[in-house]
Structures are given as structure tokens and as C-alpha cells.
Amino acid sequence: MVTRVGCIGAGYVGGPTCAVIALKCPDIRVTVCDMNPTRIGQWNSDKLPVFEPGLDEIVQKCRGVNLFFTTDVVATIQESEVLFISVNTPTKTYGHGKGRAANLKYVESVAREIAKVARGNKIVVEKSTVPVKSAQSIADILKANRNSQNKFQVLSNPEFLAEGTAIEDLLNPDRILIGGEDSPDGWKAIETLSSVYKRWIPADRIITMNTWSSELSKLVANAFLAQRISAINAVSAVCEATGADVGQVALAVGKDSRIGPRFLQASVGFGGSCFQKDILNLVYICESLNLPEVAEFWLNVVSINDYQKQRFAKRIVNCLFNTVSGKRIAIMGFAFKKNTGDTRESAAIYVSAHLLEEGARLAVYDPKVEADQVTRDLNNVTGTPDVVRDQVEVCSDPYEAARGAHALVICTEWDVFQTLDYARIFAGMPKPAYVFDGRKILDHEKLTKIGFEVETIGKRVRNVSQSHPAAITNGAGSGDGATGLDSCEDATGPDSEMTL
Ligand code: NAI
């Protein structure tokens, strides 16, 4: 029976996963460690480093009872029978495989540390998302560096939680995947880890398989999810050009039981720390295996996502009479999705950077993202801290962000945006007042009745002014025809500049 579980990496995965293990297994002592003392300090405080609905309550209940957060990596390794590796595996930014391959330096350094300090036998569980055969590399490092008495079994146990619903996903997962060595010791290790999950998850949802299938399944699952988003987003461009409504198309397509309705919501594009990174990793693996056609197929999922963000950002500029220079624009939502404070790869960052480059002044509001995070992200992506300092204001109130703005740009689908007093907001904006709904969450009819010009993804909204001058310059008439350009379509070329 397992009595001590440890986890290296107290991030979005390590923290919530261990909190749920502690909740469901009160007799197991769960220790989460991280080399970052600030992060551990936050886990031990009232303001956790990760916002997830339901997480605070669990941490409050278990912390100091059977859940501990520490910077003491050595003690955590030595004390634990089952040891999760839950460190970050970002895309490499240098050297061979730059921009594609996963950077495994954190995983490797943890493996070396375990080999150096472990006492006794351990089950090492690869929870981080890694390329196929990483478990073998971990096992090789452990074997080459271990103290002769120690024995290790390495398992692959990828995490499928989604940020924003992490606790619900951990309490009630679709499946738990465990990959291990096909040997009596391997089976025993799989059974030991399964016994932890079986405390709250039905046995038929615990799938076991060989290590390589398990590692690859995680990458493929994310690639499939992202592929659905890119597929519907590609369709959204066709809808905008034809007058079809992507919501209606998604409804019709999703009713087919072979397809199903989920992940068919068109938007400004997917973000988050995982989809792009994991697909690029898959692309790199395919290229390394000399499978260029397969690599190209998956790469297109990322390309369409980039195209979608770019299309949306350009549409904002085009609609605002082809210039946003000096105009205040409210960025509503900065997290990559609702119910998280995580901004990694958020579409809002790309859209904001594009608008800054065009000279806009941005007022950013997000209920869960801190001001310094917004600044850091924009500094990183633009490389121009002066511009960010001069042109970006982070607001703590949505009405403050909207005041005086030429446009509201909905980048994150926070529920709170659906219940704002838009008549009040409209009154404080220069006219025409625009809403760009990148998440398709607002009541467009209501907004147009108030007087807003509404632009959204994959659908033409019948706006207050059915044609505005930009439509005339691009030669598309009223923009109301079945195949004509919408008034805000990309109007490139020398004639496209709007002259007021
Ligand atoms: P994160 O960046 O939030 O957390 C990783 C933590 O590991 C950091 O706090 C870092 O300080 C710590 N760390 C790195 N090296 C260390 C070392 N040698 N010793 C001690 N601590 C160390 O990352 P996140 O989001 O939790 O992701 C972890 C892994 O889980 C990644 O491989 C990711 O792809 C995967 N994953 C992430 C999901 C998500 O929604 N964020 C979902 C499913 C999988």
C-alpha cells in the first residue's frame, strides 16, 4: 500500500493533481515540491499561484494535514514511494529542434537529482507531457547514476486535465492512462499506481498500455482537440465570406453522432501552454522519423490558428477605418480561456501586440490576470517595453477599461462579460462604437439595438450602419450580398486606406 506520494513541479498540473490525491486519499501523505520558492510561498499562502474553481477549498482542507508544499526537493525524493515528475516541458527556443521539439532539460535534471539522492526503491511517474521514448531516457539516466541498492520503475501517466475545469477533470476524469514496462516489475508498478487512482476512479476508466503508446496518446489527444478547433475556425472564414453562420454550421455538423458537438466553437483561436507546444512536438517527432507528409498535416493545425488570430486582429484595424493609431481599445479578457489566470499563448497577447504595432492605446481588463503578468507578456512578445509602458493601461474594472474606447475586443469568454451593462458602456464610447466578439459569447442583437457595430467570428451581424465607407473603398457594395466582401473584410492594397 502506498503511504507517501511526492511530486516535483508545483505548477498548474502538479499542484491541483496532488491536492485531489490528498483529498481522496487521507491516509497518504502528499508532498509537492518546487525549486521556485515564490511559487511554494504562494501555495502556502491564502492566494494560491493557480486559480481553479474548487482548488482553494481543497487546499484549505488538506494543507498541513496530508498535503505539504516545500522547496526541499531532496527530502521529497527520499520520502516518497511514488514520485511524480510534473515539471514544465516548453518548446525549445534554441539549437536543434528550435521552435518545435520539447525542451526536456527540466525533466532530465529531475531524473539526475532522483538518481543522486534517492534511497530505496521508487516508482517514478512521468506526468509531464513528453515526446515518445522519454520514459526510456529517464530510466537510462536513473540506471546509469543510481546507487547500487536502488531500483526504479518508470511509468508514463500523462495528465488530461483542462485548465479552468482542472478540479472537476481530476475528480471525474474520462480516463486515467498508465503506461509501463511489459515485465513483472513493470506490471507491479502499474498496479501500485492504479491502486491510488482506484480510491476514487472506477477501475474501467483506468487504462494501461505500453509506455510508448501512453506517451504518444497524450500528444495525439491534444493534437485531435486542437485540430477540431482549427477545422471549425477554418470554416468560420468561409462563413464570413459567404453569409453562412458558423454557429449554425457547427450545430448541424455536431448533431452527427460520429462527430459530436464538443470543441466545435469557432473563436479567435486556441491558446494555452499545451496545444501548440504539443502539436509542434508531434511535428518534430514526425520530421525526425522522416514522415514529412504527416508533419505537414499537423503543422497546418497551428498555421490555421495563427491565421485566425491574424485575421481577427486585422479585422479590428480595418473596421476602425484602417487606422487605430492613438485610439483607445478595450481588451476584454487576457487569460487564454475563462476560469483561469493563465495567459500562456493567449490569443489576447497576439491581438494586443498587433494593435500596439498599429499604434493603438490599449486598456486591458481581466478578472484573474495580474497587471504585471499583462506587462510581462506584452513586453516579451513585442520586445518594446517603452511602447507597452506608454500605450497599455491595465484596469481593475471592465467599465473603466471601456470608458472612451473606440472598440471592445472580447478575447476571453469570461461569464462576467455577458452581464455587463452595455447601454452604460455605449454611452461612454466615441461613435461608431464597436464590439469585436472573438468568443461569440455576447447577445449581438441586443448590442446592435443599443447602437453598437458588432463584429464576430464566422457570422455577419446586421449592424446599425449596414454599410460604412470602408465597404465602398473595397468595392464590395453594401457588404450584404451572398458572396460580396463584408464591410470589415481585409481591404488591402493602395485603395484600401480610408480617408475621412
Ligand atoms: P508549470 O510551468 O506551471 O509548472 C512547472 C513547475 O516545475 C514550475 O513551477 C517549475 O519551477 C518547476 N520545476 C522545473 N524544474 C524543476 C526542478 N528541477 N525541481 C523542482 N521544480 C522544478 O507547468 P504545468 O502547466 O504544470 O505543466 C507541467 C507539465 O504538464 C508540462 O509537461 C505540461 O505540458 C503538462 N500538462 C499541462 C497541462 C496544463 O493545462 N497546464 C495539462 C496537461 C499536461
Side-chain angles (χ1 to χ4, degrees), residues 6-97:
C7 175
I8 306 181
Y12 287 86
V13 168
T17 304
C18 286
V20 167
I21 294 176
L23 178 75
K24 291 296 178 181
C25 312
D27 50 325
I28 297 182
R29 185 185 162 93
V30 182
T31 308
V32 193
C33 71
D34 203 289
M35 62 182 182
N36 179 342
T38 310
R39 211 162 220 196
I40 290 300
Q42 290 169 322
W43 280 113
N44 283 320
S45 76
D46 287 341
K47 192 161 190 300
L48 303 182
V50 169
F51 170 74
E52 278 294 338
L55 177 63
D56 278 25
E57 292 83 344
I58 298 176
V59 171
Q60 262 168 33
K61 186 166 178 214
C62 302
R63 193 174 53 197
V65 180
N66 69 328
L67 175 65
F68 301 90
F69 296 94
T70 176
T71 49
D72 194 341
V73 177
V74 174
T76 305
I77 293 172
Q78 290 179 339
E79 283 167 8
S80 307
E81 303 146 51
V82 173
L83 196 54
F84 288 98
I85 302 180
S86 194
V87 298
N88 35 332
T89 50
T91 305
K92 260 184 104 172
T93 51
Y94 54 86
H96 188 67

XYZ file of all heavy atoms in Angstrom, residues 6-97:
690
model
N 5.053 11.857 -3.704
C 5.728 13.141 -3.875
C 5.545 13.637 -5.300
O 5.239 12.851 -6.209
N 5.718 14.924 -5.481
C 5.590 15.479 -6.826
C 6.628 16.583 -6.999
O 6.731 17.474 -6.146
C 4.182 16.037 -7.017
S 3.958 16.867 -8.595
N 7.380 16.527 -8.069
C 8.340 17.592 -8.360
C 7.736 18.473 -9.446
O 7.441 17.996 -10.546
C 9.696 17.005 -8.800
C 10.171 16.003 -7.744
C 10.715 18.126 -9.000
C 11.493 15.359 -8.036
N 7.540 19.740 -9.108
C 6.859 20.678 -10.016
C 5.506 21.035 -9.435
O 4.586 20.220 -9.425
N 5.411 22.250 -8.872
C 4.158 22.692 -8.238
C 3.455 23.703 -9.137
O 3.143 24.809 -8.727
C 4.461 23.302 -6.867
N 3.217 23.315 -10.393
C 2.580 24.227 -11.342
C 1.101 23.950 -11.490
O 0.437 23.476 -10.562
N 0.592 24.257 -12.675
C -0.837 24.098 -12.967
C -1.267 22.638 -12.901
O -2.436 22.339 -12.682
C -1.149 24.659 -14.357
C -1.115 26.160 -14.385
C 0.075 26.845 -14.584
C -2.265 26.896 -14.170
C 0.115 28.232 -14.587
C -2.245 28.280 -14.169
C -1.051 28.941 -14.379
O -1.022 30.306 -14.370
N -0.318 21.721 -13.122
C -0.649 20.298 -13.065
C -0.304 19.718 -11.691
O -1.157 19.122 -11.032
C 0.083 19.525 -14.190
C -0.003 18.024 -13.979
C -0.538 19.887 -15.529
N 0.957 19.900 -11.259
C 1.402 19.285 -10.006
C 0.549 19.681 -8.813
O 0.138 18.825 -8.023
N 0.259 20.987 -8.674
C -0.492 21.464 -7.509
C -1.897 20.877 -7.450
O -2.243 20.166 -6.486
N -2.745 21.138 -8.458
C -4.111 20.608 -8.411
C -4.168 19.077 -8.349
O -4.980 18.507 -7.623
C -4.732 21.133 -9.712
C -3.954 22.377 -10.027
C -2.562 22.093 -9.574
N -3.292 18.394 -9.102
C -3.332 16.922 -9.103
C -3.062 16.391 -7.702
O -3.776 15.511 -7.205
C -2.264 16.358 -10.087
O -2.506 16.931 -11.366
C -2.329 14.854 -10.183
N -2.041 16.939 -7.054
C -1.696 16.447 -5.722
C -2.752 16.841 -4.694
O -3.009 16.089 -3.746
C -0.318 16.943 -5.317
S 0.938 16.054 -6.222
N -3.362 18.004 -4.885
C -4.426 18.408 -3.957
C -5.565 17.395 -4.004
O -6.107 16.991 -2.965
C -4.924 19.808 -4.312
N -5.903 16.936 -5.200
C -7.001 15.971 -5.323
C -6.583 14.598 -4.777
O -7.371 13.919 -4.111
C -7.512 15.900 -6.786
C -8.426 14.707 -7.007
C -8.242 17.200 -7.128
N -5.345 14.198 -5.008
C -4.889 12.917 -4.432
C -4.983 12.991 -2.908
O -5.478 12.082 -2.246
C -3.435 12.577 -4.874
C -3.395 12.325 -6.386
C -2.909 11.351 -4.119
C -1.997 12.072 -6.952
N -4.537 14.121 -2.347
C -4.584 14.269 -0.879
C -6.030 14.228 -0.380
O -6.330 13.599 0.633
C -3.919 15.582 -0.470
N -6.921 14.874 -1.128
C -8.331 14.894 -0.714
C -8.926 13.495 -0.711
O -9.651 13.119 0.217
C -9.121 15.795 -1.687
C -10.622 15.904 -1.429
C -10.867 16.804 -0.212
C -11.358 16.456 -2.646
N -8.617 12.742 -1.745
C -9.253 11.435 -1.911
C -8.538 10.317 -1.159
O -9.085 9.231 -0.999
C -9.327 11.090 -3.414
C -10.310 11.969 -4.169
C -11.718 11.718 -3.636
C -12.757 12.581 -4.288
N -14.103 12.333 -3.736
N -7.308 10.559 -0.732
C -6.544 9.517 -0.034
C -6.012 10.102 1.281
O -4.818 10.410 1.391
C -5.378 9.034 -0.888
S -5.804 8.631 -2.590
N -6.886 10.272 2.278
C -6.454 10.958 3.504
C -5.318 10.244 4.230
O -4.582 10.868 4.997
C -7.717 10.977 4.374
C -8.809 10.375 3.579
C -8.294 9.893 2.275
N -5.129 8.951 3.965
C -4.062 8.207 4.641
C -2.740 8.295 3.886
O -1.733 7.731 4.331
C -4.486 6.741 4.806
C -4.980 6.152 3.491
O -5.604 6.894 2.704
O -4.708 4.971 3.238
N -2.729 8.954 2.742
C -1.462 9.129 2.014
C -0.932 10.531 2.300
O -1.669 11.515 2.241
C -1.654 8.931 0.489
C -2.099 7.495 0.182
C -0.363 9.254 -0.274
C -2.259 7.184 -1.306
N 0.361 10.597 2.606
C 0.992 11.902 2.819
C 1.508 12.381 1.458
O 2.311 11.687 0.811
C 2.153 11.730 3.808
C 2.820 13.008 4.202
C 4.023 12.688 5.095
N 4.911 13.834 5.146
C 4.861 14.783 6.071
N 3.988 14.703 7.051
N 5.710 15.796 6.035
N 1.020 13.522 1.006
C 1.349 14.019 -0.337
C 2.216 15.279 -0.206
O 1.806 16.251 0.437
C 0.056 14.354 -1.132
C 0.419 14.811 -2.540
C -0.877 13.159 -1.178
N 3.392 15.242 -0.807
C 4.290 16.400 -0.740
C 4.572 16.916 -2.145
O 4.947 16.142 -3.026
C 5.628 16.011 -0.074
O 5.336 15.384 1.167
C 6.497 17.230 0.161
N 4.361 18.198 -2.332
C 4.623 18.813 -3.633
C 5.809 19.748 -3.469
O 5.795 20.609 -2.592
C 3.408 19.646 -4.123
C 3.570 19.999 -5.589
C 2.116 18.911 -3.884
N 6.833 19.581 -4.296
C 7.986 20.463 -4.150
C 8.283 21.199 -5.448
O 7.863 20.771 -6.536
C 9.218 19.687 -3.676
S 9.891 18.626 -4.909
N 8.932 22.312 -5.303
C 9.293 23.117 -6.474
C 10.581 23.861 -6.144
O 10.816 24.227 -4.989
C 8.175 24.118 -6.795
C 8.205 24.575 -8.249
O 9.139 25.328 -8.623
O 7.308 24.171 -9.012
N 11.379 24.085 -7.168
C 12.624 24.829 -6.925
C 12.365 26.327 -6.822
O 13.246 27.076 -6.453
C 13.631 24.541 -8.037
C 13.189 24.975 -9.404
S 14.448 24.512 -10.586
C 13.755 25.166 -12.090
N 11.140 26.725 -7.169
C 10.808 28.152 -7.137
C 10.175 28.513 -5.777
O 9.016 28.179 -5.508
C 9.832 28.439 -8.288
C 9.407 29.889 -8.341
O 9.549 30.622 -7.369
N 8.862 30.291 -9.470
N 10.952 29.198 -4.900
C 10.440 29.474 -3.553
C 9.215 30.391 -3.551
O 8.346 30.282 -2.680
C 11.616 30.137 -2.842
C 12.622 30.461 -3.867
C 12.310 29.699 -5.114
N 9.139 31.286 -4.544
C 7.968 32.186 -4.596
C 6.700 31.356 -4.797
O 5.671 31.567 -4.147
C 8.117 33.190 -5.756
O 9.403 33.776 -5.665
C 7.051 34.252 -5.732
N 6.801 30.406 -5.719
C 5.626 29.578 -6.007
C 5.208 28.767 -4.773
O 4.023 28.693 -4.440
C 5.951 28.636 -7.164
C 4.718 28.339 -7.967
C 5.001 27.791 -9.330
N 4.067 28.396 -10.278
C 3.851 27.921 -11.489
N 4.507 26.878 -11.921
N 2.977 28.506 -12.278
N 6.196 28.208 -4.091
C 5.869 27.412 -2.895
C 5.282 28.334 -1.822
O 4.314 27.969 -1.138
C 7.129 26.662 -2.395
C 7.479 25.547 -3.390
C 6.922 26.084 -0.990
C 6.397 24.482 -3.601
N 5.852 29.539 -1.708
C 5.293 30.514 -0.755
C 3.823 30.772 -1.060
O 2.991 30.837 -0.155
N 3.495 30.897 -2.335
C 2.094 31.149 -2.708
C 1.204 29.942 -2.376
O 0.081 30.098 -1.910
C 2.002 31.475 -4.203
C 2.600 32.830 -4.544
C 2.747 33.035 -6.042
O 3.088 32.109 -6.794
N 2.503 34.243 -6.501
N 1.721 28.744 -2.631
C 0.925 27.544 -2.287
C 0.669 27.468 -0.792
O -0.335 26.904 -0.357
C 1.633 26.267 -2.759
C 1.456 25.959 -4.211
C 2.408 25.977 -5.189
C 0.235 25.580 -4.877
N 1.857 25.641 -6.416
C 0.533 25.391 -6.248
C -1.076 25.373 -4.444
C -0.431 25.005 -7.181
C -2.041 24.992 -5.385
C -1.715 24.823 -6.726
N 1.586 28.030 -0.015
C 1.408 28.002 1.439
C 0.686 29.235 1.970
O 0.588 29.417 3.178
C 2.779 27.856 2.124
C 3.273 26.421 2.047
O 2.486 25.477 2.198
N 4.558 26.229 1.800
N 0.189 30.076 1.057
C -0.485 31.309 1.485
C -1.982 31.225 1.179
O -2.483 30.199 0.717
C 0.115 32.499 0.728
O -0.381 32.510 -0.598
N -2.667 32.347 1.413
C -4.101 32.393 1.111
C -4.360 32.660 -0.363
O -5.475 32.504 -0.844
C -4.778 33.502 1.935
C -4.886 33.086 3.392
O -4.790 31.868 3.654
O -5.039 33.977 4.246
N -3.328 33.132 -1.083
C -3.530 33.407 -2.508
C -2.688 32.419 -3.317
O -1.486 32.598 -3.501
C -3.119 34.858 -2.818
C -3.577 35.290 -4.185
C -3.582 36.816 -4.294
C -4.265 37.303 -5.556
N -3.681 36.844 -6.790
N -3.338 31.359 -3.755
C -2.621 30.288 -4.454
C -2.099 30.795 -5.802
O -2.677 31.701 -6.406
C -3.556 29.095 -4.674
C -4.198 28.514 -3.402
C -5.058 27.303 -3.742
C -3.139 28.125 -2.375
N -1.014 30.196 -6.306
C -0.452 30.677 -7.571
C -1.301 30.300 -8.782
O -1.087 30.801 -9.876
C 0.909 29.977 -7.638
C 0.766 28.766 -6.794
C -0.213 29.113 -5.719
N -2.228 29.390 -8.562
C -3.068 28.905 -9.664
C -4.517 29.150 -9.288
O -4.943 28.775 -8.183
C -2.838 27.382 -9.852
C -3.867 26.769 -10.784
C -1.423 27.115 -10.350
N -5.284 29.784 -10.205
C -6.712 29.919 -9.945
C -7.441 28.796 -10.666
O -7.334 28.639 -11.870
C -7.246 31.278 -10.421
C -8.742 31.320 -10.382
C -9.398 31.420 -9.162
C -9.507 31.181 -11.533
C -10.792 31.405 -9.100
C -10.897 31.175 -11.480
C -11.539 31.282 -10.263
N -8.156 27.998 -9.915
C -9.010 26.952 -10.483
C -10.241 26.847 -9.589
O -10.103 26.728 -8.362
C -8.314 25.575 -10.458
C -7.347 25.296 -11.572
C -7.990 25.210 -12.953
O -9.207 24.946 -13.029
O -7.273 25.429 -13.929
N -11.449 26.889 -10.190
C -12.640 26.730 -9.351
C -12.541 25.453 -8.506
O -12.251 24.381 -9.028
C -13.771 26.640 -10.389
C -13.249 27.397 -11.579
C -11.766 27.138 -11.597
N -12.752 25.601 -7.192
C -12.763 24.444 -6.284
C -11.409 24.139 -5.654
O -11.314 23.388 -4.684
N -10.332 24.716 -6.196
C -8.990 24.376 -5.701
C -8.743 24.938 -4.297
O -8.221 24.223 -3.421
C -7.932 24.903 -6.684
C -6.472 24.693 -6.291
C -6.130 23.209 -6.211
C -5.535 25.375 -7.312
N -9.115 26.175 -4.060
C -8.868 26.808 -2.754
C -9.433 25.964 -1.613
O -8.762 25.719 -0.608
C -9.541 28.186 -2.695
C -8.680 29.241 -3.361
O -7.871 28.865 -4.226
O -8.822 30.430 -3.023
N -10.666 25.514 -1.805
C -11.350 24.757 -0.745
C -10.580 23.474 -0.431
O -10.396 23.119 0.730
C -12.783 24.394 -1.179
C -13.725 25.592 -1.295
C -13.607 26.338 -2.639
O -12.618 26.135 -3.366
O -14.512 27.141 -2.936
N -10.116 22.777 -1.479
C -9.412 21.508 -1.251
C -8.081 21.766 -0.547
O -7.728 21.078 0.421
C -9.178 20.754 -2.589
C -10.524 20.408 -3.225
C -8.350 19.502 -2.369
C -10.417 19.752 -4.593
N -7.362 22.785 -1.008
C -6.059 23.077 -0.393
C -6.261 23.471 1.073
O -5.532 23.012 1.962
C -5.298 24.166 -1.187
C -4.061 24.630 -0.437
C -4.895 23.638 -2.561
N -7.270 24.281 1.311
C -7.519 24.696 2.702
C -7.815 23.500 3.608
O -7.386 23.427 4.741
C -8.698 25.654 2.757
C -8.222 27.103 2.798
C -9.353 28.071 2.553
O -10.488 27.802 2.945
N -9.054 29.165 1.889
N -8.520 22.530 3.046
C -8.905 21.359 3.849
C -7.697 20.442 4.114
O -7.560 19.904 5.208
C -9.992 20.593 3.080
C -10.581 19.458 3.831
C -11.851 18.930 3.203
C -12.302 17.747 4.044
N -12.928 16.725 3.277
N -6.840 20.270 3.119
C -5.797 19.236 3.224
C -4.418 19.763 3.631
O -3.599 19.008 4.161
C -5.650 18.500 1.892
S -7.168 17.731 1.341
N -4.167 21.063 3.342
C -2.824 21.598 3.591
C -2.485 21.512 5.073
O -3.300 21.875 5.925
C -2.729 23.026 3.093
C -1.324 23.559 3.016
C -1.303 24.928 2.383
N -2.213 25.847 3.039
C -2.630 26.998 2.507
N -2.216 27.361 1.316
N -3.453 27.784 3.172
N -1.290 20.974 5.354
C -0.865 20.832 6.745
C -1.424 19.587 7.404
O -1.042 19.240 8.526
N -2.359 18.907 6.720
C -2.906 17.649 7.260
C -2.186 16.489 6.550
O -1.385 15.784 7.144
C -4.438 17.578 7.062
C -4.994 16.279 7.630
C -5.111 18.792 7.685
N -2.481 16.327 5.266
C -1.737 15.309 4.491
C -1.242 15.861 3.152
O -0.878 15.116 2.263
C -2.599 14.059 4.268
C -3.765 14.327 3.327
O -4.301 15.435 3.280
N -4.171 13.309 2.588
N -1.272 17.191 3.032
C -0.778 17.842 1.807
C 0.229 18.920 2.198
O -0.101 19.812 2.996
C -1.956 18.479 1.046
C -1.614 19.302 -0.189
C -0.995 18.423 -1.293
C -2.870 19.999 -0.740
N 1.439 18.811 1.646
C 2.506 19.737 2.042
C 3.189 20.311 0.801
O 3.360 19.617 -0.197
C 3.528 19.001 2.913
C 2.886 18.422 4.152
C 2.368 17.125 4.128
C 2.741 19.176 5.307
C 1.732 16.606 5.246
C 2.111 18.659 6.434
C 1.598 17.366 6.397
N 3.544 21.587 0.888
C 4.263 22.256 -0.195
C 5.627 22.675 0.332
O 5.718 23.299 1.393
C 3.482 23.489 -0.675
C 2.157 23.129 -1.287
C 0.995 23.128 -0.519
C 2.068 22.764 -2.620
C -0.230 22.780 -1.082
C 0.853 22.421 -3.192
C -0.302 22.431 -2.418
N 6.674 22.343 -0.407
C 8.023 22.596 0.096
C 8.999 22.867 -1.043
O 8.752 22.475 -2.186
C 8.513 21.366 0.908
O 9.854 21.579 1.319
C 8.483 20.092 0.072
N 10.101 23.509 -0.689
C 11.179 23.678 -1.675
C 12.234 22.569 -1.509
O 13.217 22.536 -2.240
C 11.892 25.037 -1.485
O 12.219 25.180 -0.112
C 11.029 26.193 -1.940
N 12.016 21.701 -0.546
C 13.016 20.675 -0.241
C 12.859 19.480 -1.196
O 12.174 18.491 -0.896
C 12.865 20.237 1.219
C 14.073 19.446 1.687
O 14.813 18.946 0.813
O 14.268 19.325 2.911
N 13.530 19.593 -2.329
C 13.407 18.562 -3.372
C 14.018 17.238 -2.876
O 13.439 16.159 -3.072
C 14.104 19.039 -4.672
C 14.049 17.967 -5.741
C 13.463 20.328 -5.179
N 15.168 17.348 -2.193
C 15.863 16.135 -1.759
C 14.992 15.321 -0.800
O 14.786 14.115 -0.980
C 17.217 16.498 -1.095
C 17.888 15.265 -0.510
C 18.128 17.171 -2.115
N 14.446 15.998 0.198
C 13.605 15.283 1.169
C 12.384 14.679 0.480
O 11.986 13.544 0.769
C 13.173 16.236 2.291
N 11.803 15.412 -0.453
C 10.617 14.897 -1.150
C 10.968 13.619 -1.898
O 10.229 12.628 -1.849
C 10.069 15.965 -2.141
O 9.832 17.172 -1.419
C 8.793 15.497 -2.801
N 12.111 13.628 -2.566
C 12.524 12.428 -3.313
C 12.753 11.272 -2.335
O 12.280 10.153 -2.543
C 13.812 12.714 -4.124
C 13.520 13.726 -5.239
C 14.387 11.425 -4.709
C 14.749 14.226 -5.977
N 13.452 11.569 -1.257
C 13.820 10.485 -0.342
C 12.609 9.881 0.365
O 12.549 8.689 0.602
C 14.849 10.997 0.664
C 16.183 11.261 -0.033
C 17.271 11.789 0.879
O 16.981 12.336 1.948
N 18.507 11.662 0.456
N 11.633 10.726 0.669
C 10.477 10.244 1.436
C 9.446 9.487 0.608
O 8.663 8.724 1.154
C 9.744 11.449 2.047
C 10.412 12.026 3.265
C 9.822 13.385 3.628
O 8.805 13.783 3.021
O 10.391 14.036 4.508
N 9.413 9.727 -0.698
C 8.262 9.257 -1.482
C 8.478 7.874 -2.081
O 9.547 7.575 -2.605
C 7.968 10.238 -2.606
O 7.836 11.536 -2.081
N 7.424 7.083 -2.028
C 7.488 5.782 -2.717
C 7.094 5.950 -4.191
O 7.632 5.309 -5.071
C 6.501 4.797 -2.079
C 6.709 4.565 -0.589
C 5.388 4.331 0.128
O 4.604 3.485 -0.326
O 5.152 5.005 1.153
N 6.100 6.810 -4.387
C 5.673 7.138 -5.754
C 6.007 8.607 -5.980
O 5.616 9.461 -5.182
C 4.156 6.915 -5.931
C 3.689 7.409 -7.296
C 3.808 5.441 -5.758
N 6.732 8.893 -7.057
C 7.234 10.244 -7.274
C 6.821 10.744 -8.657
O 7.248 10.206 -9.682
C 8.762 10.188 -7.177
C 9.546 11.456 -6.997
C 9.063 12.267 -5.803
C 11.020 11.112 -6.834
N 5.952 11.742 -8.672
C 5.522 12.314 -9.954
C 6.530 13.360 -10.433
O 6.976 14.191 -9.629
C 4.171 13.017 -9.811
C 3.012 12.077 -9.624
C 2.511 11.804 -8.348
C 2.405 11.465 -10.717
C 1.446 10.942 -8.177
C 1.333 10.604 -10.549
C 0.850 10.337 -9.274
N 6.845 13.331 -11.717
C 7.604 14.428 -12.325
C 6.595 15.271 -13.089
O 5.967 14.803 -14.040
C 8.685 13.923 -13.298
C 9.657 12.978 -12.592
C 9.429 15.098 -13.926
C 10.770 12.436 -13.500
N 6.416 16.508 -12.631
C 5.386 17.361 -13.227
C 5.964 18.724 -13.574
O 5.346 19.755 -13.353
C 4.252 17.477 -12.212
O 3.149 17.996 -12.832
N 7.168 18.687 -14.108
C 7.849 19.943 -14.435
C 7.459 20.384 -15.848
O 6.871 19.627 -16.618
C 9.387 19.803 -14.322
C 9.791 19.465 -12.893
C 9.913 18.760 -15.295
N 7.796 21.615 -16.180
C 7.434 22.156 -17.486
C 8.286 21.549 -18.602
O 9.455 21.217 -18.394
C 7.527 23.685 -17.490
C 8.654 24.226 -16.642
O 9.064 23.607 -15.662
N 9.194 25.355 -17.024
N 7.680 21.420 -19.771
C 8.373 20.877 -20.947
C 8.101 21.807 -22.137
O 7.423 21.422 -23.086
C 7.877 19.450 -21.265
O 6.430 19.466 -21.298
C 8.347 18.437 -20.253
N 8.600 23.041 -22.056
C 8.263 24.018 -23.098
C 8.913 23.701 -24.452
O 9.800 22.853 -24.517
C 8.839 25.322 -22.532
C 9.958 24.894 -21.654
C 9.573 23.565 -21.089
N 8.482 24.411 -25.470
C 9.114 24.256 -26.789
C 10.538 24.808 -26.726
O 10.783 25.859 -26.116
C 8.297 25.047 -27.844
O 6.943 24.594 -27.779
C 8.836 24.815 -29.241
N 11.444 24.090 -27.343
C 12.849 24.544 -27.356
C 12.982 25.882 -28.072
O 12.349 26.097 -29.101
C 13.717 23.518 -28.114
C 14.483 22.579 -27.225
C 15.380 21.677 -28.041
C 16.824 22.120 -27.940
N 17.742 21.158 -28.569
N 13.781 26.763 -27.510
C 13.942 28.076 -28.148
C 15.348 28.245 -28.712
O 15.745 29.342 -29.086
C 13.682 29.207 -27.124
O 14.484 28.949 -25.973
C 12.224 29.292 -26.730
N 16.111 27.172 -28.718
C 17.496 27.262 -29.222
C 17.918 25.902 -29.789
O 17.275 24.877 -29.522
C 18.446 27.633 -28.060
C 18.318 26.694 -26.883
C 19.037 25.500 -26.829
C 17.439 26.976 -25.835
C 18.894 24.621 -25.766
C 17.295 26.100 -24.767
C 18.028 24.929 -24.741
O 17.869 24.052 -23.704
N 18.968 25.928 -30.571
C 19.634 24.704 -31.029
C 18.785 23.827 -31.927
O 17.798 24.266 -32.523
N 19.161 22.568 -31.996
C 18.474 21.604 -32.847
C 17.025 21.423 -32.377
O 16.771 21.258 -31.190
C 19.237 20.264 -32.783
C 18.721 19.266 -33.766
N 18.846 19.422 -35.128
C 18.049 18.103 -33.594
C 18.285 18.403 -35.746
N 17.793 17.592 -34.835
N 16.098 21.491 -33.304
C 14.685 21.332 -32.936
C 14.058 22.602 -32.398
O 12.920 22.600 -31.926
